[in-house]
Amino acid sequence: MKKQLLLLLTLVCCFHYSFASITVKGRVFDKATGLPMEYATVRACTLPDTTFIAGCITEPTGNFSMQLEKGRYVLEIQYMGFVPVYKNVTLDGSKNPFDVGKINLSPDHQMLGEVDVVAEQSTYEMTLDKRVFNVGKDVSNTAGNAIEVLENIPAVSVDVEGNVSLRGDDGVRILIDGKESGLSGMSTQDALRTLQGDMIERIEVITNPSVRYDAEGSAGIINIILKKDKRQGFNGAVNIRGGYPWMYGASLTANYRLKRWNLFASYGFNNRSNIGGGVNLTKRYSDIIEGDTIFTQLTDQTTERRMRRKGHNVRVGADYYITDRDIISAAFVYRNGRLETHPVVKYYDEYPQLGTSTYDERAEDYEEITPMYEVTMDYDKKFEREGRSLKANVRFFTNSEDAHSDITEKVYPNQEMQQLIKEVYQKTGNDQRMRNLQASLDYVHPFATKAQWEIGGKYTNRNINSLSEVTERDSLGVYRPLPDYCYDYEYKEQVAALYTSLGNDWGRWSGQVGVRAEMTNIFTNLKGYAHDGTDSINGGKPYIDFFPSAHLNYSVNENNQFQVSYTRRIRRPGFWQMSPFRSYNDNRNIRMGNPALKPTYMDSYELGYIHFWDKASFNFTAYYRHGNNTIRSYTYMADSVFYSMPVNFGKADDFGVELVAQGQMTKWWNLNGNVNFFRSYSNGTINGKEYPTESWMLFGRAVSKFKIKNWFDFQLTAHVMGPHKEPLGMRKGNWWMDLAVSKEVFHGNGTITFNVRDLFNSRSWGGESWGDGFWQYNTSTWNRRSFSINFNYRINQQSMKRNRPGGGEEGGGDEGGGGEEQQGEEEF
């Protein structure tokens, strides 16, 4: 099937179909900045009766095209907050395609002064290659962090520990501004929690990326776009927030544009506490005789956790327009996070055969500091020929993690704690350092009528060193190392990539095929093992892989579009998955990495359909994914300790459908939601035993927004996740609801937002697991119901009112095509 699809799209890219209609094309730019405008609306109406015939929206490059028959038309080019432009064109067939040239739109200062443009834009926008979530349009995200923002995005799931998955697969590549960043370095969850929602402009979800993107990420890519305004003059915003469990913070974003310079900066501070915990029930047995289980130990474990996070984020940068076609950008990011957590784990053990019991209480004081620095340089060149471009990027970031804890464990014969049997004092320390260097180059070359060739390359070099130690106090008061939990681990990763793709556009049809080659070398060194380069832990072995992709689009009309696509992806085991140990606060249930992990390969097929109405849209996607060397969590028991680690399991096949819909039901009610339903079949082997597993899973989200006259906006969000099976366990279902209310103040320059997360305190995570000689049930919550209030004040984000000149402004900048251009309020 894969070969047939690639062959079909290759043939489509090689031959040019002819149509009786005439292709009308052009380019739309912002007159003030000279930048192309994406999502501008172009409408074609007949003359002289002004009957609507066709329409389209502009691409990221500002380009648009549509098919029209011979005749006289007026083209209406619109974008919210800009003065519309009207162009009269006559199509007699002498030119095909017919180029109307470059069209410049000027800001409508009167409209900007009277209308809150932000509120007019959709929260969720869908295109055939990606889904765009505009963060600032969702009132519930104003006071949240990046993790909480991701919770509200269709097809994205976040568990109580902050692990992100897409369509049930946690092999997600998270990018910042289109590139891997230090903000998502060694500890992605902690970094995303320190990134405030008001610093994010939008989030893009790409389930089947083209070869232009890294092949890493079996589930796809989530791209977080940070705010950077390019309007003339100074503008910015100030945010202040507070809440319970106790949290407070503030952030400031500023942007200044003057002639060829665009300067931007942001600062955020957050201090946040969490109260969570969980329950773990364990049954150990030695044998099953005539259907009766002989239990040797029953454990009732509870965990209470108080956590406090503090973080600072600083981002400064500048864009310099060397010429109208050459832009150089530089940015610097600094983040400093601090985590303090105080978990208390209590164990109540019963021994049925002995008729005895014990009570064990283990308390920890944990502290972690995670500073990060990042420097990036970008160069963007647009050639004289439209569509031809060159982009270069160099990025370096380094971050570290310094962590230590003090642990006290006390053992009693019962829960009354009247007699102390044993007392244990331990210390943990972890010192990690990461350095990452990236360089990329991308070139786009248009040819023929609408064909396009892309070529590029990227190099990544990452080095991580981790030194970890656990010590225990002996009878003399001296802390001595526990050898099984002390290690010095080195991880190095190099990836060199080259890609090329070929695409074409034939009116209603468009397609692209490409291939990406990546050579990978991962080197690991765990001291204490023979360094001979042949075992599964030490040494390195380079390998090369090829990742093809193909996309074919068909537009029935402006309201109905189809797409079929195929991509091949890889999920390389990361540092955390390969690091020997990851936790020790619960010394009976230890999570650890697996240095012997191999990469997972995923083939993904999608068929998508989008339908647009005037005030609503509907997206249907059917998908199939086939994975090899899939990674699953495996738990085993050794010396009364449970170890959980990732292992290469086997093959997996997922068949699913995704439905996304949004609509403006009335002037005061907006409703949107998504449902994802799929069947997963996996078959793998662990310790020589085969585990075929079939599971059905459903998860979804619904958002209802109400505008109560001119008083305030009200939003209610419901989440649901169904139960599903795993090879050696069962995950339970889950549901929760969030509430948000916002009110515009200071003549639309300010917004006050009140949030309640997990309204009914129902969100939790857990399920059953089993293995040789044991059965476990666990449930946990990362944070209980929380309340927050946020104040946002916008500075110069609404331009001063002024009268529009009579008769409209000069459009200017028309570079071709024939036709008369009008701008302003003139009627057809």
Side-chain angles (χ1 to χ4, degrees):
M1 181 177 179
K2 176 170 58 177
K3 295 181 178 179
Q4 293 173 346
L5 178 59
L6 290 174
L7 178 60
L8 172 63
L9 291 183
T10 302
L11 292 175
V12 169
C13 287
C14 294
F15 295 98
H16 184 85
Y17 295 109
S18 61
F19 295 91
S21 58
I22 299 172
T23 300
V24 178
K25 66 177 184 177
R27 305 172 298 284
V28 180
F29 287 79
D30 183 339
K31 185 177 181 179
T33 65
L35 299 176
M37 299 183 69
E38 184 178 10
Y39 300 123
T41 302
V42 183
R43 290 164 45 93
C45 299
T46 60
L47 286 176
D49 57 357
T50 66
T51 301
F52 174 76
I53 296 298
C56 64
I57 60 175
T58 56
E59 301 173 350
T61 58
N63 294 340
F64 70 87
S65 67
M66 65 178 70
Q67 302 296 319
L68 298 175
E69 303 297 331
K70 293 180 181 180
R72 295 177 59 239
Y73 301 89
V74 60
L75 302 183
E76 177 190 21
I77 300 93
Q78 290 185 333
Y79 193 90
M80 178 63 68
F82 286 76
V83 179
V85 169
Y86 303 100
K87 248 186 172 323
N88 294 334
V89 298
T90 300
L91 305 179
D92 57 10
S94 61
K95 294 182 180 179
N96 192 3
F98 187 93
D99 190 353
V100 300
K102 182 179 180 181
I103 301 169
N104 288 318
L105 297 185
S106 299
D108 187 340
H109 297 286
Q110 180 172 339
M111 179 180 291
L112 287 175
E114 297 175 349
V115 180
D116 185 358
V117 176
V118 171
E120 295 295 332
Q121 296 183 1
S122 300
T123 299
Y124 186 60
E125 300 170 4
M126 296 178 291
T127 63
L128 283 171
D129 61 341
K130 62 186 175 184
R131 294 94 183 273
V132 182
F133 182 80
N134 297 303
V135 173
K137 319 305 181 295
D138 192 325
V139 297
S140 68
N141 290 320
T142 308
N145 55 43
I147 286 288
E148 293 171 344
V149 172
L150 290 173
E151 291 177 353
N152 290 320
I153 296 180
V156 177
S157 302
V158 184
D159 67 19
V160 292
E161 293 186 349
N163 300 305
V164 180
S165 61
L166 184 59
R167 291 177 176 171
D169 186 349
D170 60 358
V172 182
R173 183 76 158 179
I174 297 181
L175 306 179
I176 308 292
D177 287 333
K179 305 172 184 67
E180 184 183 357
S181 169
L183 286 176
S184 56
M186 288 191 299
S187 181
T188 302
Q189 298 90 339
D190 291 342
L192 293 178
R193 286 191 178 97
T194 64
L195 183 61
Q196 292 305 302
D198 55 77
M199 301 173 70
I200 302 172
E201 178 178 322
R202 67 183 186 273
I203 293 180
E204 300 173 345
V205 177
I206 311 170
T207 52
N208 256 12
S210 70
V211 295
R212 180 189 302 177
Y213 296 91
D214 291 346
E216 176 65 38
S218 58
I221 293 172
I222 296 176
N223 186 22
I224 300 175
I225 307 297
L226 301 180
K227 290 181 178 178
K228 183 174 67 171
D229 206 318
K230 294 185 178 180
R231 285 173 288 185
Q232 290 288 344
F234 175 82
N235 61 83
V238 179
N239 251 68
I240 302 174
R241 66 187 71 89
Y244 180 83
W246 298 115
M247 63 87 70
Y248 57 90
S251 65
L252 170 68
T253 60
N255 203 96
Y256 183 69
R257 175 73 190 273
L258 179 64
K259 295 182 179 179
R260 295 192 176 277
W261 284 96
N262 182 61
L263 309 176
F264 54 91
S266 62
Y267 168 75
F269 166 74
N270 188 54
N271 190 328
R272 186 167 187 160
S273 61
N274 296 80
I275 301 175
V279 175
N280 192 330
L281 304 178
T282 303
K283 295 182 178 181
R284 305 181 189 180
Y285 54 88
S286 58
D287 204 353
I288 300 178
I289 302 176
E290 296 181 355
D292 294 329
T293 303
I294 308 300
F295 292 106
T296 58
Q297 182 178 339
L298 306 177
T299 301
D300 187 348
Q301 174 184 335
T302 60
T303 302
E304 297 177 358
R305 182 188 301 109
R306 292 181 294 108
M307 184 177 297
R308 183 181 180 187
R309 298 178 184 275
K310 294 189 293 184
H312 299 266
N313 276 300
V314 179
R315 180 172 177 258
V316 295
D319 304 318
Y320 178 67
Y321 293 76
I322 304 172
T323 68
D324 291 340
R325 299 180 181 275
D326 295 84
I327 307 172
I328 186 169
S329 304
F332 171 77
V333 177
Y334 168 74
R335 172 176 63 85
N336 191 358
R338 188 185 190 95
L339 169 66
E340 298 175 1
T341 181
H342 307 280
V344 177
V345 186
K346 302 175 182 179
Y347 313 89
Y348 177 67
D349 301 305
E350 291 187 71
Y351 302 91
Q353 293 179 314
L354 301 177
T356 60
S357 65
T358 60
Y359 176 75
D360 190 346
E361 187 171 291
R362 183 177 175 88
E364 179 182 22
D365 291 323
Y366 177 89
E367 184 178 21
E368 173 184 294
I369 301 175
T370 55
M372 183 280 296
Y373 304 88
E374 176 183 350
V375 179
T376 180
M377 293 285 293
D378 290 273
Y379 173 68
D380 190 350
K381 179 176 180 60
K382 292 179 173 60
F383 295 86
E384 185 174 349
R385 177 168 182 176
E386 180 186 355
R388 185 184 177 196
S389 66
L390 177 69
K391 294 183 179 182
N393 169 267
V394 177
R395 179 175 298 235
F396 174 79
F397 61 85
T398 176
N399 57 3
S400 61
E401 182 177 299
D402 297 314
H404 64 271
S405 70
D406 292 290
I407 300 173
T408 302
E409 183 176 2
K410 298 181 179 181
V411 182
Y412 303 89
N414 50 56
Q415 289 180 291
E416 283 71 27
M417 297 185 296
Q418 295 179 350
Q419 178 184 356
L420 181 64
I421 298 178
K422 183 174 67 172
E423 193 169 18
V424 178
Y425 295 92
Q426 297 173 330
K427 292 180 180 290
T428 71
N430 184 261
D431 182 11
Q432 293 182 116
R433 298 288 184 270
M434 181 177 78
R435 298 178 303 279
N436 193 311
L437 174 66
Q438 301 174 3
S440 64
L441 187 67
D442 301 278
Y443 174 70
V444 179
H445 185 82
F447 65 96
T449 305
K450 290 188 177 180
Q452 181 173 281
W453 174 55
E454 294 185 39
I455 188 171
K458 182 178 180 181
Y459 172 74
T460 301
N461 189 323
R462 177 182 303 164
N463 292 273
I464 303 177
N465 293 93
S466 180
L467 180 62
S468 183
E469 184 180 57
V470 178
T471 59
E472 184 173 300
R473 193 173 75 179
D474 62 13
S475 58
L476 300 177
V478 179
Y479 282 88
R480 301 186 183 278
L482 300 180
D484 289 342
Y485 302 101
C486 301
Y487 64 89
D488 187 352
Y489 183 64
E490 182 181 16
Y491 175 92
K492 296 181 179 180
E493 176 185 298
Q494 294 187 76
V495 180
L498 290 173
Y499 79 88
T500 184
S501 67
L502 183 67
N504 205 347
D505 189 340
W506 309 271
R508 297 185 185 277
W509 290 90
S510 62
Q512 182 187 69
V513 293
V515 64
R516 185 181 185 94
E518 293 189 351
M519 186 177 73
T520 305
N521 186 18
I522 295 179
F523 173 88
T524 58
N525 180 24
L526 177 61
K527 292 186 177 180
Y529 288 80
H531 189 107
D532 57 9
T534 59
D535 59 80
S536 61
I537 295 179
N538 286 334
K541 180 180 180 181
Y543 58 91
I544 187 169
D545 292 300
F546 294 91
F547 303 95
S549 75
H551 295 75
L552 180 63
N553 302 343
Y554 176 66
S555 179
V556 181
N557 50 47
E558 66 170 341
N559 296 325
N560 296 274
Q561 302 174 42
F562 291 89
Q563 183 193 58
V564 59
S565 62
Y566 161 77
T567 60
R568 179 171 172 81
R569 309 284 296 166
I570 187 175
R571 181 185 180 184
R572 300 179 183 89
F575 166 78
W576 281 115
Q577 290 181 307
M578 300 182 72
S579 180
F581 291 99
R582 293 179 57 184
S583 67
Y584 192 69
N585 66 291
D586 179 359
N587 64 343
R588 298 195 190 186
N589 297 276
I590 295 179
R591 293 179 300 167
M592 56 189 295
N594 181 2
L597 277 180
K598 298 178 181 179
T600 297
Y601 294 92
M602 184 71 69
D603 292 281
S604 177
Y605 305 81
E606 286 192 12
L607 173 63
Y609 167 71
I610 298 178
H611 182 83
F612 297 96
W613 292 275
D614 289 341
K615 296 183 179 180
S617 61
F618 171 76
N619 177 217
F620 169 84
T621 304
Y623 58 90
Y624 164 65
R625 300 180 303 200
H626 174 74
N628 288 302
N629 275 344
T630 57
I631 297 175
R632 295 284 190 270
S633 178
Y634 169 60
T635 301
Y636 66 93
M637 183 176 60
D639 297 328
S640 299
V641 177
F642 293 96
Y643 297 92
S644 297
M645 62 185 296
V647 297
N648 287 114
F649 181 66
K651 297 181 179 181
D653 293 279
D654 296 336
F655 304 85
V657 294
E658 182 179 62
L659 305 176
V660 181
Q662 63 173 348
Q664 191 70 38
M665 313 306 292
T666 67
K667 290 183 179 180
W668 50 270
W669 182 26
N670 179 279
L671 185 64
N672 70 78
N674 70 282
V675 175
N676 205 303
F677 179 69
F678 67 91
R679 168 193 175 273
S680 179
Y681 177 79
S682 60
N683 192 358
T685 302
I686 299 178
N687 291 337
K689 187 175 182 179
E690 189 173 347
Y691 294 93
T693 306
E694 182 177 7
S695 178
W696 296 86
M697 185 171 180
L698 180 145
F699 54 89
R701 164 181 166 268
V703 181
S704 188
K705 301 179 184 179
F706 303 91
K707 190 173 187 64
I708 312 300
K709 293 185 178 180
N710 293 322
W711 300 340
F712 58 85
D713 292 338
F714 177 85
Q715 177 174 306
L716 193 63
T717 305
H719 307 258
V720 62
M721 180 175 293
H724 65 280
K725 296 180 182 178
E726 294 183 350
L728 285 169
M730 169 75 76
R731 297 292 93 186
K732 70 173 187 176
N734 190 21
W735 69 274
W736 69 99
M737 297 186 70
D738 302 325
L739 178 148
V741 180
S742 69
K743 168 68 175 175
E744 298 294 318
V745 294
F746 297 119
H747 306 289
N749 290 312
T751 304
I752 298 177
T753 305
F754 175 71
N755 276 285
V756 182
R757 301 271 179 183
D758 195 6
L759 182 61
F760 299 104
N761 215 25
S762 59
R763 190 179 187 190
S764 62
W765 189 265
E768 301 178 54
S769 62
W770 49 81
D772 293 336
F774 72 92
W775 173 90
Q776 283 187 325
Y777 170 80
N778 68 84
T779 181
S780 61
T781 58
W782 186 258
N783 193 21
R784 297 170 186 168
R785 179 174 47 227
S786 62
F787 305 85
S788 65
I789 188 168
N790 183 86
F791 173 69
N792 175 267
Y793 186 78
R794 297 173 288 277
I795 306 170
N796 289 340
Q797 293 197 9
Q798 293 178 343
S799 301
M800 297 297 294
K801 295 181 181 180
R802 69 175 179 86
N803 293 328
R804 187 178 301 142
E809 296 180 10
E810 176 64 25
D814 188 14
E815 293 183 349
E820 302 171 359
E821 182 175 322
Q822 303 166 337
Q823 186 166 349
E825 292 188 351
E826 185 174 341
E827 296 292 334
F828 288 163

